Amino acid sequence: MAELLDEIPMPLEGKKRRIGVMTSGGDAPGMNGVVRAVVRMSIAEGCEAYGIYEGYDGLVKGGDKIKQMYWDDVRGWLSEGGTLIGTARCKEFTERPGRLRAAKNMVQKGIDALVICGGDGSLTGADIFRAEWPGLLDELVQTRELTNDDIKPFKHLNIVGLVGSIDNDMSSTDATIGCYSSLGRICQAVDFIDSTAFSHQRAFVIEVMGRHCGWLALMAGTSTGADFIFIPEKPPAKDWEDQMCKIIGKHRALGKRKTIVIVAEGAHDLELNKIYPNKVKDLLSNRLGLDTRITTLGHVQRGGNACAYDRMLSTLQGVEAVGAVLDASPTKPIPVICIIENKIVRKPLMDAVRLTQEVAKAIKLRDFDRALELRGPEFAEYYNAYMTTTATDQPELRLAKNKQMRIGIIHVGAPAGGMNSGTRAAVAYCLARGHTPIAIHNGFPGLCRHHDDKPIGSVRIVQWLDVEGWISKGGSEIGTNRGLPSEDMKKTAHCFELYQFDALFVIGGFEAFTAVSELRKARTEYPAFKIPMVILPATISNNVPGTEYSIGSDTCLNALVDYCDAIKQSASSSRRRVFVVETQGGRSGYIATIAGLSIGATAVYTPEEGINIKMLARDIEHLRGQFAKDKGQSRAGKLILRNEHASQTYTTEIIANMIREEAKGRFESRFAVPGHVQQGGTPSPMDRVRAVRLAVKCVQLLEGFAGKSKDEIANDEMSAAVIGIKGASVVFSPMETLEMEGTDWKDRRPKKEYWLRLKSVVDTLSGRPKESDCCETCGKSK
């Protein structure tokens, strides 16, 4: 009866909401990042946050399954795997009586908004719940479980969806929370298997998750250089047994010692007959005589802590979800928070669900081209890139003789994870098209000083087997350094003419950008440089104009996050310790800021913002307040990140010493410098797959100039370009425009850095006080 209920809380004033957050469906790494971001952003916006434990089951059962959450409740959650508020299947919620109880529980707690992180089934349930909401409230009044006064403030229910799924099976988004962490588990396993396969000349058939979606299998195949893959969206040809054996047989004939075949658990042939790993094994064993083993990775793909990308994605999408709740209105459809390339966007939830379900329908109807199209352009590009770069001989792709080019490939600047992956893809694509790939070893100094060394010079034609094993190798297999062509421009031009380069593919960071700028400007004096040139940005600093993402930056972030997790564990164990960690990144604060977002740093110091004594005073006072409040709580360690060039005066050690001095024994301070650990070892899956995709697009741009005269090439602004990800698009930007309008030459970074706006998110979620809220003299809160 209504009169026996506890008093229902009054709605919060204005647009403020009581926001419930829940995780539903299968767990995925990064879900805890969502909960942390939603809880803290809700509180920062003056709202209240409620954790709904065990997913829809907790919503139906109510009681202590729905708890108000406070700032410190989510401390340390970013580094935890799974979901700390739990998830469970709930049959009751699929039926109206269950949803009726859920509605009553929400009204009793005063909750008028939900943020749900789950798969398409969980999000479809959310849409049904919202559609039925008015009717559910009316029914609760009719049955006298609630009164009209009780439900009056709750006539509209705001719901926002986030996609947590390791399969990356939701259309309308390029990545779901957890998918890159899962891909990392797969790639690590395949890398380990790779070494034993090589040792014994074995073949391995590896089954990965993906009942209805082949994203994990496709990306794993691309990022490990697998010989063959099976995915639901694009089954192999009718004679796939012969095709597979032919490709793998050719690879073996060329001298390849190992074979990797990746099978999605939902793989099937053109007639929808399931393709089992055992069948693939038998074919390799019986037809090719290979010693073949099967490995099923299973739930190891789902577990463990989140990678840097999933921490960042979950945090930014959680923040965006709170913004979407506050922007919601009764007439707006439920939004789902997505990411397209590098841009967080809101899309209508049910449009995304409908497109996702259409994929399954298209597969059932055997319309596989439609299924591939529905997965989105990025998925299709990766598939095409994989197919082009995996097989050694594809006559149908070969260009006419007059379109074939001699393409120089050079690395410039510091090493970065993914350089070798990009080189391997470029070489494989060149060979498939009939081009001649030529590796220039050890950068421009290597070209000028050692091109004619005996018995082997620094300029070498590359064969497929030379690069086949490079996909997972860190560093630079052809060597890289910071030398520029201007050190000997005349000799550089002579070498270009001597080796008859028709195009130049440059992989590197700001030095690569500077090198191509010098070559472009020298065209008037040296006609040898009137060839198409393109840069694939590869640097941990992510400071190349024309792109928001550089190959190698994700590998760096993963290495730095792992390092900081270990440091934070030490800081937390001693309960009262602050670590000041120095990051690389040149004069760009990108790495420090994104790492700060991914580890929950207390403060981040960047070159763009600098450091001053008042800033340090505010942060030290904030630390004093935090430690005074903690009183021995767990996860109490604090981390501050400082970019190596944030200040000439306030070094990492000096800041740590200042904190220690001002702490007066109430807490400790240490500093740590991970140094070149940040350049990473094995490239991350993201850096590998993006290097493959972008390298193929770069060579496609270069081959578009085949047959043109030198003057025609020089007069085309796109003949010297940078490939990059900008917002929701992959674009080529002309060098001349970037040189004049987009480059801060003094500080070696773009004039406009997209990530600067994320600095305020780091500060908000760490609780770092704003300058306007503190005393100018002592740093204390006003």
Side-chain angles (χ1 to χ4, degrees):
M1 298 290 289
E3 61 271 12
L4 297 178
L5 294 176
D6 293 335
E7 187 175 340
I8 293 172
M10 290 296 294
L12 301 178
E13 62 181 19
K15 282 194 168 184
K16 295 175 182 177
R17 298 281 182 265
R18 288 189 181 88
I19 302 173
V21 58
M22 60 185 276
T23 52
S24 181
D27 66 299
M31 281 183 163
N32 292 319
V34 169
V35 178
R36 173 184 177 271
V38 170
V39 168
R40 291 198 168 179
M41 199 66 195
S42 297
I43 294 170
E45 292 287 354
C47 302
E48 292 178 6
Y50 287 78
I52 300 169
Y53 287 71
E54 314 304 340
Y56 283 117
D57 190 58
L59 198 62
V60 171
K61 290 178 179 174
D64 62 0
K65 299 285 187 185
I66 304 176
K67 301 175 185 176
Q68 186 169 358
M69 299 188 78
Y70 300 93
W71 193 271
D72 289 337
D73 291 341
V74 292
R75 176 188 291 170
W77 281 32
L78 271 171
S79 59
E80 297 287 342
T83 165
L84 293 174
I85 60 172
T87 179
R89 299 192 181 281
C90 182
K91 187 178 180 182
E92 292 95 325
F93 192 80
T94 63
E95 299 168 352
R96 187 175 173 86
R99 294 192 290 273
L100 200 64
R101 291 200 298 277
K104 180 181 175 182
N105 290 331
M106 286 184 60
V107 172
Q108 284 183 299
K109 295 286 187 179
I111 298 172
D112 48 11
L114 277 179
V115 174
I116 301 172
C117 181
D120 62 332
S122 301
L123 299 178
T124 301
D127 186 70
I128 294 169
F129 191 43
R130 189 201 190 196
E132 289 184 351
W133 182 257
L136 294 172
L137 294 189
D138 289 342
E139 188 172 337
L140 288 168
V141 172
Q142 290 167 12
T143 57
R144 300 185 65 193
E145 293 190 57
L146 294 175
T147 68
N148 277 312
D149 288 341
D150 291 335
I151 69 167
K152 189 175 181 181
F154 303 101
K155 289 289 188 181
H156 172 57
L157 174 63
N158 294 329
I159 295 181
V160 176
L162 295 93
V163 192
S165 167
I166 65 165
D167 293 335
N168 198 15
D169 54 357
M170 178 70 83
S171 295
S172 302
T173 186
D174 287 345
T176 57
I177 294 163
C179 69
Y180 274 102
S181 299
S182 180
L183 181 61
R185 308 279 184 276
I186 296 169
C187 289
Q188 185 181 48
V190 176
D191 289 346
F192 291 165
I193 288 169
D194 208 64
S195 58
T196 191
F198 182 90
S199 300
H200 297 275
Q201 299 192 61
R202 282 182 179 144
F204 276 84
V205 181
I206 300 169
E207 185 178 51
V208 302
M209 286 185 172
R211 196 173 304 149
H212 305 294
C213 179
W215 187 87
L216 284 174
L218 171 60
M219 294 302 175
T222 304
S223 55
T224 62
D227 298 83
F228 210 81
I229 62 171
F230 294 92
I231 61 174
E233 295 87 347
K234 197 71 175 174
K238 194 172 184 179
D239 61 343
W240 67 266
E241 295 97 333
D242 296 334
Q243 184 188 59
M244 180 185 73
C245 291
K246 181 181 176 183
I247 289 172
I248 292 171
K250 277 187 178 179
H251 290 177
R252 289 284 179 156
L254 285 167
K256 189 174 182 183
R257 290 176 58 88
K258 58 187 173 58
T259 298
I260 300 290
V261 176
I262 295 180
V263 183
E265 61 180 327
H268 50 75
D269 63 18
L270 288 170
E271 300 301 319
L272 303 183
N273 299 309
K274 184 170 173 58
I275 295 175
Y276 292 95
N278 274 320
K279 181 171 183 179
V280 178
K281 172 187 177 294
D282 291 343
L283 282 165
L284 297 178
S285 298
N286 299 332
R287 286 205 193 179
L288 298 179
L290 300 178
D291 180 7
T292 308
R293 308 294 168 89
I294 295 174
T295 299
T296 300
L297 296 180
H299 280 74
V300 71
Q301 299 162 80
R302 189 183 292 282
N305 59 351
C307 67
Y309 180 82
D310 279 328
R311 296 188 194 193
M312 178 192 72
L313 181 65
S314 61
T315 298
L316 294 180
Q317 289 195 338
V319 168
E320 183 71 15
V322 173
V325 164
L326 299 179
D327 292 343
S329 71
T331 57
K332 288 183 181 178
I334 295 178
V336 61
I337 311 302
C338 302
I339 186 165
I340 304 298
E341 298 294 355
N342 212 39
K343 186 177 182 181
I344 304 289
V345 296
R346 302 175 193 175
K347 293 195 173 184
L349 170 64
M350 291 316 294
D351 285 358
V353 170
R354 177 180 52 78
L355 288 171
T356 303
Q357 292 171 345
E358 280 189 25
V359 176
K361 291 177 185 175
I363 291 172
K364 194 173 181 180
L365 294 171
R366 293 183 284 187
D367 187 352
F368 302 115
D369 289 338
R370 175 65 175 156
L372 197 65
E373 179 189 341
L374 287 166
R375 284 290 181 218
E378 187 188 60
F379 190 99
E381 279 188 20
Y382 277 120
Y383 177 79
N384 291 331
Y386 170 77
M387 295 304 293
T388 307
T389 58
T390 190
T392 55
D393 184 23
Q394 302 183 67
E396 70 279 6
L397 295 179
R398 188 172 289 269
L399 295 171
K401 282 281 186 185
N402 64 339
K403 295 288 186 181
Q404 294 175 10
M405 305 171 78
R406 291 172 58 84
I407 299 179
I409 302 172
I410 188 169
H411 296 177
V412 182
M419 279 182 157
N420 294 319
S421 307
T423 303
R424 176 188 178 276
V427 168
Y429 182 84
C430 283
L431 293 172
R433 301 285 278 171
H435 304 306
T436 303
I438 305 167
I440 302 169
H441 288 251
N442 303 315
F444 285 101
L447 173 68
C448 294
R449 300 171 195 166
H450 304 290
H451 70 93
D452 56 356
D453 284 1
K454 304 299 179 187
I456 185 167
S458 61
V459 182
R460 307 171 199 168
I461 293 175
V462 191
Q463 302 300 328
W464 179 80
L465 198 62
D466 297 332
V467 299
E468 190 281 321
W470 289 10
I471 189 79
S472 60
K473 288 190 175 182
S476 167
E477 288 294 301
I478 64 173
T480 183
N481 61 49
R482 300 177 187 274
L484 297 172
S486 56
E487 293 172 13
D488 193 340
M489 195 67 83
K490 185 175 180 181
K491 188 65 175 288
T492 303
H494 167 71
C495 289
F496 273 46
E497 289 173 343
L498 180 64
Y499 293 100
Q500 300 177 335
F501 294 140
D502 297 316
L504 185 67
F505 177 39
V506 186
I507 304 178
F510 200 87
E511 288 83 4
F513 182 84
T514 306
V516 172
S517 174
E518 290 180 354
L519 293 173
R520 186 194 67 78
K521 291 175 181 175
R523 280 171 167 173
T524 52
E525 189 174 352
Y526 300 102
F529 300 146
K530 292 181 177 180
I531 60 174
M533 298 176 276
V534 65
I535 303 166
L536 172 56
T539 166
I540 68 169
S541 303
N542 195 24
N543 63 340
V544 178
T547 186
E548 296 173 2
Y549 166 84
S550 300
I551 303 298
S553 59
D554 186 65
T555 301
C556 172
L557 284 168
N558 279 317
L560 186 56
V561 164
D562 287 345
Y563 181 91
C564 287
D565 280 351
I567 291 285
K568 199 165 189 178
Q569 188 176 62
S570 170
S572 295
S573 298
S574 62
R575 292 290 192 269
R576 311 184 72 76
R577 181 171 290 171
V578 181
F579 270 95
V580 184
V581 179
E582 181 173 295
T583 74
Q584 291 187 339
R587 291 181 174 83
S588 169
Y590 171 82
I591 288 295
T593 300
I594 303 302
L597 199 68
S598 303
I599 64 167
T602 299
V604 173
Y605 300 133
T606 65
E608 289 84 355
E609 189 178 26
I611 307 174
N612 58 59
I613 191 67
K614 292 178 181 177
M615 181 187 296
L616 291 172
R618 288 195 305 274
D619 291 336
I620 291 170
E621 190 58 37
H622 175 56
L623 287 169
R624 280 195 190 121
Q626 288 291 301
F627 280 113
K629 190 173 65 173
D630 282 346
K631 297 177 181 176
Q633 291 180 36
S634 62
R635 300 192 179 105
K638 305 287 189 291
L639 256 64
I640 291 174
L641 300 187
R642 175 193 172 273
N643 169 278
E644 59 189 341
H645 292 296
S647 170
Q648 290 184 327
T649 303
Y650 299 109
T651 65
T652 305
E653 185 175 3
I654 285 173
I655 292 172
N657 290 339
M658 289 175 68
I659 293 172
R660 185 186 305 116
E661 180 67 25
E662 293 300 319
K664 306 295 183 186
R666 284 172 286 184
F667 52 91
E668 300 176 351
S669 178
R670 300 280 192 276
F671 73 96
V673 183
H676 284 74
V677 165
Q678 295 163 81
Q679 289 187 355
T682 303
S684 73
M686 173 174 282
D687 280 333
R688 297 190 212 181
V689 296
R690 283 190 168 175
V692 170
R693 178 189 176 206
L694 297 179
V696 168
K697 291 176 83 73
C698 284
V699 181
Q700 288 171 341
L701 175 77
L702 295 176
E703 67 184 4
F705 288 91
K708 292 187 177 181
S709 69
K710 285 189 173 293
D711 287 338
E712 283 179 315
I713 291 170
N715 291 329
D716 188 331
E717 66 172 7
M718 295 307 294
S719 65
V722 178
I723 193 171
I725 294 175
K726 287 185 176 180
S729 305
V730 175
V731 297
F732 286 98
S733 301
M735 279 295 300
E736 186 173 7
T737 303
L738 291 174
E739 291 164 17
M740 293 188 297
E741 300 174 9
T743 306
D744 179 346
W745 288 99
K746 175 179 171 291
D747 287 322
R748 294 166 49 89
R749 64 192 184 210
K751 283 184 178 178
K752 294 181 180 179
E753 296 177 292
Y754 87 97
W755 56 265
L756 286 173
R757 58 185 173 79
L758 302 181
K759 183 73 166 47
S760 62
V761 178
V762 178
D763 292 344
T764 299
L765 297 183
S766 71
R768 189 184 186 193
K770 297 177 182 176
E771 183 178 358
S772 57
D773 296 334
C774 298
C775 171
E776 196 171 318
T777 307
C778 67
K780 291 183 179 180
S781 297
K782 293 178 181 176

